[in-house]
């Protein structure tokens, strides 16, 4: 079938909105009509050339839609089901999948790096040449073929544009707080970077009952949003040194400090903000090849530094729970959507993200 999609050819060049061919789903795959796909900073890393990506490639990894057809052997969904797309393809059989950590799946990781389905091939093509799929989702397109393991069935009264946000930003952020850090009630938290993902770390920490949540960003309007999402204190790092400020506000350091930007300097800041026995959690992806240096002896103070990949997601457990929280009025999603764009204006949406104008923009196909 023909689909309309936003195609990445090379860094520093706008995405091209064009017609591509999409093959039918093969065995164990699902064809989804995309309803909405959020515009996340990870895709901007690709556009800016900070992280390599096979090309040409259809970007977009924060999507939801409706199942249109299923390939042979698919039993989990049927046409008409509403689904969120997980951006971490999982094989279901490797040791990581077996122990309940599908976000670290060996074969999923390979497919993501290669820009393919789990079998190493693409379903997208242009003039007979392969076009790659970001994260086996490729959500900036009218339709997507994805692995069965990448769809998460949700209730049909859940608005699909809100559901899309759960596919990346909400799962990554809330999951970093709840699954990775396991934030304890009454604890102190700092979050560096209050964009679409950082705001969700803040609301995850608030859901977990953190007493103090200190938001750090360079932009005052992001810090105002952070308060809406549960921050109790804010630090503008363009005006004051953030480590000193967080230590002052938290009587010496926080229990959990999250880095949600992707820069070695801010990873170091997060580590330095954590108190003795505290934890720094790195969510951001830094430019390929970068390193962080840490004082060697501080580990005797039982400080921990850890990464969080997709908020430790077990998509079919965690995402329906996030849907339930939204439907119960306990999870903010409406407030995350700053702007809605048609696919044709996707480059404007990325420019607004680069300029720090939005919490999240959504490309809507509805
Ligand atoms: N100090 C404080 N705040 C800063 C600084 C700084 N030095 N530099 C930038 N910021 C702020 C910006 O003002 C902005 O508010 C925020 O940081 C970044 O927000 P967004 O909206 O641009 O980015 P997000 O939230 O969409 O994405 C952040 C990620 C860290 C997830 C992303 O950049 C990334 O690294 N993704 C790859 C890793 C990952 O987790 N992938 C899976 C999910 S995408
Ligand atoms: Zn993302
Ligand atoms: Zn696996």
């Amino acid at each position: 079938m023909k689909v309309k999609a936003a195609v990445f050819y090379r860094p520093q060049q706008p995405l091209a909105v064009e017609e591509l061919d999409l093959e039918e789903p093969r065995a164990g795959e699902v064809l989804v009509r995309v309803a909405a796909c959020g515009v996340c900073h990870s895709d901007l890393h690709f556009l800016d050339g900070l992280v390599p990506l096979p090309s040409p490639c259809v970007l977009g990894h924060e999507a939801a839609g409706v199942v249109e057809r299923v390939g042979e052997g698919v039993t989990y969904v049927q046409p008409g089901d509403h689904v969120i797309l997980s951006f971490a393809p999982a094989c279901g059989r490797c040791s990581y999948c077996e122990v309940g950590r599908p976000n670290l799946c060996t074969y999923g990781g390979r497919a993501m790096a290669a820009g393919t389905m789990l079998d190493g091939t693409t379903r997208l093509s242009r003039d007979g040449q392969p076009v790659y799929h970001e994260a086996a989702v490729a959500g900036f397109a009218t339709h997507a073929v994805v692995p069965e393991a990448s769809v998460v069935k949700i209730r049909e009264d859940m608005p699909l544009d809100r559901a899309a946000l759960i596919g990346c930003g909400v799962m990554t952020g809330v999951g970093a707080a709840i699954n990775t850090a396991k934030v304890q009630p009454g604890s102190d938290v700092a979050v560096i970077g209050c964009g679409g993902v950082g705001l969700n770390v803040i609301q995850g920490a608030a859901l977990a009952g953190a007493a103090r949540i200190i938001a750090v960003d360079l932009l005052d309007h992001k810090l105002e949003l952070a308060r809406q999402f549960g921050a109790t204190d804010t630090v503008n790092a363009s005006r004051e040194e953030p480590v000193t400020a967080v230590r002052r506000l938290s009587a010496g350091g926080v229990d959990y400090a999250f880095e949600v930007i992707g820069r070695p300097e801010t990873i170091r800041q997060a580590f330095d903000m954590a108190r003795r026995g505290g934890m720094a959690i790195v969510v951001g992806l830094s430019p390929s090849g970068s390193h962080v240096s840490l004082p060697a002896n501080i580990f005797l103070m039982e400080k921990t530094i850890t990464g969080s990949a997709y908020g430790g997601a077990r998509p079919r457990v965690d995402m329906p729970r996030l849907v339930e929280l939204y439907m119960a009025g306990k999870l903010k999603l409406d407030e995350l959507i700053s702007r809605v764009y048609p696919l044709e204006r996707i480059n404007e949406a990325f420019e607004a993200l680069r300029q720090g104008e939005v919490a999240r923009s959504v490309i809507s196909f509805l």
Side-chain angles (χ1 to χ4, degrees), residues 240-266:
E240 51 183 330
E241 205 291 301
V243 176
T244 314
V246 166
R247 284 188 181 153
R248 175 173 40 78
L249 287 164
S250 59
V254 292
D255 298 293
Y256 312 94
F258 295 86
E259 198 273 357
V260 203
I261 302 167
R263 299 167 63 98
E265 313 85 79
T266 42

Side-chain angles (χ1 to χ4, degrees), residues 34 36-38 60-65 83-86 137 139-140 160 163-165 167-168:
V34 179
C37 186
H61 61 274
E62 189 177 82
V83 290
I84 295 174
L85 303 187
S86 156
V137 172
F140 292 138
L160 284 167
L165 305 179
C168 173

Side-chain angles (χ1 to χ4, degrees), residues 39-45 61 87 168-169 172 192-199 216-219 222 237 242 259-263 265-266 269 283-286 308-310 353-354 356 358-360:
V39 178
C40 173
H41 203 119
S42 298
D43 291 347
L44 202 51
H45 289 333
H61 61 274
F87 73 72
C168 173
T172 303
I192 315 176
C194 304
V197 180
L199 291 171
V216 183
D217 204 287
L218 302 172
L219 302 170
K222 293 296 177 93
E259 198 273 357
V260 203
I261 302 167
R263 299 167 63 98
E265 313 85 79
T266 42
Q269 287 171 6
V283 177
L285 178 70
S286 295
S308 180
Y310 209 172
L353 180 63
R354 184 181 278 112
V358 293
R360 258 302 189 254

